Amino acid sequence: MSIIVGKNTAVVVQGITGSAGGFHAKQCMEYGTQVVAGVTPGRGGESFEAKVPVFDTVKQAVEKTGCNASLIFVPPPGAADAILEAFDAGLELVVCITEGIPVIDMLKVRRRLETLNGKTRLIGPNCPGIITPTECKMGIMPGHIHKRGHIGVVSKSGTLTYEAVGQLTALGIGQSTCIGIGGDPVAGMDFVDVLEMFNADPDTHGVIMIGEIGGGAEERGAEYIKAHMKKPVAAFIAGTTAPEGKRMGHAGAIISGGKGTAAAKIDALLSAGCKVAPTPSDMASTLKSMLS
Amino acid sequence: MKIHEYQGKLIFAKYGVPIPKGYPAHTVLEAEAVAKRLIEETKSNVVVVKAQIHAGGRGKGGGVKVAKGGAAEAKELAQKILGMQLITHQTGPAGQKVRHLYIEQGLEMVKELYLGAVIDRDRRRIAFMASTEGGMEIEKVAEHTPEKILTVHIDPIVGFSAFQARELAFGLGLQQYSKETVGKFVKLMGALYEVMIKEDCSLVEINPLVVLKNGDVVALDAKVNMDDNAEFRHKAQWAEVFDKDEEDPVELEAKDVGLNYVSLDGNVGCLVNGAGLAMATMDIIKHAGEKYGVAPANFLDVGGGANQEQVTKAFSMILKSDKVKAIFVNIFGGIMKCDVIAMGVVAAAKNLGLKVPVVVRLEGTNVELGKKILRESGLAIIPADTMADGAAKIVAAVTGGSK
Ligand SMILES: Nc1ncnc2c1ncn2[C@@H]1O[C@H](COP(=O)(O)OP(=O)(O)OP(=O)(O)O)[C@@H](O)[C@H]1O
Ligand SMILES: [Mg+2]
């Protein structure tokens, strides 16, 4: 087992005819992901790579192909709308890779998500996606660095996820599922949501959690770990040296009014019983030291 | 993106948030002329001369002065403030040069309040915060007397509701000033919500929001930040209000070619792909080098899809900085291919010459090809296997191996 995605995930790619969407749809297919449909309004009837039918709407894609998950590469002006369309079509999972969606748009998306009562999960935006090694890659991560196994990885940062996965694989430790929840201030799944699922997944034996400055998601994750987590969690928080008031690449990675510092997050995680890697080079070895 | 108070007040006026009468001025002569005009229009001799910089705390720093002696005094004040290095708790010790002034009608108030709207990312709502402790630094109020900050959250689907504004108004005790003050506050807050949504703001703050003798509520200050992600909806308008003089020139240069760059105080230039990895690279340099005075000189994320020109540009920017004593290139290629990075680095190094040691750690897609390009370039590049190895080599390079 694993969480959220696996062999039965049938993917529609929204924005499949764009350059990013097309490139990554192909990469996902090569990895073995079932990409069963594409959606680009106005391009219905075409086919992608002579294999995947393209539809005008997500609803048509669901009716014709039975897809149950969407991977979104729609550019920022239309991205929030694309997410809402995927919600409305009743998909179980929506993964939005797009970076640069206005926060006012995401407030509405998030509010709509809350009315769906857990029927649909949203991952991202501004994230690398999700992968269950050897079964399903829904995102832009390099597939070849992964190895099937029992460690869950959850992270706000794409490249730091790759770093952690690379270290795990080098130590011979495989992964159950790796999830990038993204670096935007308002998004879908949070650390807590993912930790709950790893906790309940018999195939996941430990977790690497990678946070960064800004917001309070890491602190909420720490509270959950303290109260409920039955598995070891090794953490890393990026941005110990980041100055206050500066946006560090991600829209959400900013310390403001003294809030959202790495130090506060590290304290919360330590007091929740996590081990915190002293440097980003020690993420996998820190977890390894906690596995029995 | 930050904008000036006077630009924020123009937006306020457009949406019906009451502001004092005022005009911007960019020279001393202009300041005198608009002060005269204000005095005629308001039939009062009191005007306020306000420095326009992108930082708060201007009043305490000497950037906000009241002239009661008419246009001549306003001119004197303008002379003092325009061109000064204004130092506030938000500018850093060097301060910020004052290039613009705002000359405003001086008002007599009976109470200074605080009203702000922010994106509350933990609640995923717009939050309005109000306090009777106006004019002070709101962070201090939040820290020492949090009970004095009242908060309501707006449902983005329902939108602004008057009852929420009344909750704040009565909480602030506005009914004591006049019968109409509560109603006026409700109207103002509704207008402020419109500003937030329609102008794509990430923050709108009025400190102080004042109550006048006649019971009116007026925004004496305007701090408005825009959500950079929404630029595509406001291109022309935002280009007009953007003040490049308030920005770090190197950060601007980077932004122009689509790179994320932040200047820091240290001596190690960093070139990294991905925001998280870029932050973590800074952290590991500091971790390894703090004892030896080795620290990051910048945050630089070349992004997931940078081309060779962007990498060349990024590397050139770092090479040109005098404070940089060594450079750490740290790449985990996913989408970004290691050979593209290597070619960009080689092109920039050949162009500008390598005056400082460069440590390169490549991992991921096309890593062997990337390493080969670096090896065959003939450049004295120090290869590293991991981030930790790279950081150790950086420290050795900066300290001349004496660590
Ligand atoms: N038009 C005005 N009439 C009378 N007094 C004013 C006026 N504008 C400002 N003041 C006074 O000057 C003080 C400082 O002004 P203001 O809040 O605009 O600047 P500031 O110091 O930059 O504040 P912040 O720290 O919030 O940025 C106000 O609290 C108010 O008491
Ligand atoms: Mg103020």
Side-chain angles (χ1 to χ4, degrees), chain A residues 24 100-103 105 107 111 114 140 157 159-160 163 185 190 215-216 220 239-241 246 252 279 281, chain B residues 121-122 124-125 155 157 227 229 232-233 251 264 273-274 276-277 282-283 286-287 299 332 335 361 387-388:
Chain A
H24 290 293
I101 304 179
V103 70
D105 296 2
L107 287 173
R111 177 67 175 81
E114 285 163 13
I140 61 175
S157 149
T159 39
L160 273 181
E163 183 72 39
D190 213 344
R220 287 196 298 278
T240 309
T241 51
K246 287 279 188 181
T279 81
S281 262
Chain B
R121 41 195 291 188
D122 295 331
R124 289 101 172 184
R125 297 282 187 274
D155 183 319
I157 291 179
D227 170 14
N229 283 355
F232 65 84
R233 287 202 276 248
E251 289 175 20
L264 303 167
N273 69 321
L277 194 64
M282 290 157 40
D283 296 346
K286 183 97 175 256
H287 187 267
F299 164 93
F332 203 117
I335 308 320
R361 181 271 185 140
M387 282 179 84

Side-chain angles (χ1 to χ4, degrees), chain A residues 23-24 76-77 100-105 107-108 110-112 114 140-142 144-145 156-157 159-160 162-163 166 184-188 190 212-217 220 236-243 246-254 257 278-281, chain B residues 2 119-126 139 142 155-158 196-197 200-202 227-230 232-233 248 251 260 262-264 273-284 286-287 296 299 301 330 332-335 337 361 363-365 386-389:
Chain A
F23 175 79
H24 290 293
I101 304 179
V103 70
I104 297 287
D105 296 2
L107 287 173
K108 282 193 197 135
R110 174 75 205 192
R111 177 67 175 81
R112 180 79 183 99
E114 285 163 13
I140 61 175
M141 62 290 281
H144 66 90
I145 62 173
K156 276 185 179 174
S157 149
T159 39
L160 273 181
Y162 312 161
E163 183 72 39
D184 272 3
V186 176
D190 213 344
E212 65 189 25
I213 54 164
R220 287 196 298 278
F236 177 73
I237 303 295
T240 309
T241 51
K246 287 279 188 181
R247 179 168 138 164
M248 305 302 281
H250 287 157
I254 181 164
T279 81
S281 262
Chain B
K2 292 180 179 171
I119 308 289
D120 182 339
R121 41 195 291 188
D122 295 331
R123 293 280 296 269
R124 289 101 172 184
R125 297 282 187 274
I126 287 174
E139 289 85 4
D155 183 319
I157 291 179
V158 177
M196 189 90 176
I197 299 291
D200 275 301
C201 304
S202 54
D227 170 14
D228 294 331
N229 283 355
F232 65 84
R233 287 202 276 248
D248 179 308
E251 289 175 20
N260 275 313
V262 176
S263 295
L264 303 167
N273 69 321
L277 194 64
M279 269 188 275
T281 304
M282 290 157 40
D283 296 346
I284 201 170
K286 183 97 175 256
H287 187 267
F299 164 93
D301 165 19
N330 183 21
F332 203 117
I335 308 320
K337 297 181 184 78
R361 181 271 185 140
E363 187 70 69
T365 309
T386 63
M387 282 179 84
D389 183 36

Side-chain angles (χ1 to χ4, degrees), chain B residues 48 50 56-59 64 104-107 109 112 207-208 220-221:
Chain B
V48 185
K50 306 180 82 174
R58 296 164 303 165
V64 178
E104 191 174 63
Q105 156 188 33
L107 291 176
M109 54 274 212
E112 292 192 298
N207 191 18
L220 278 207
D221 196 2

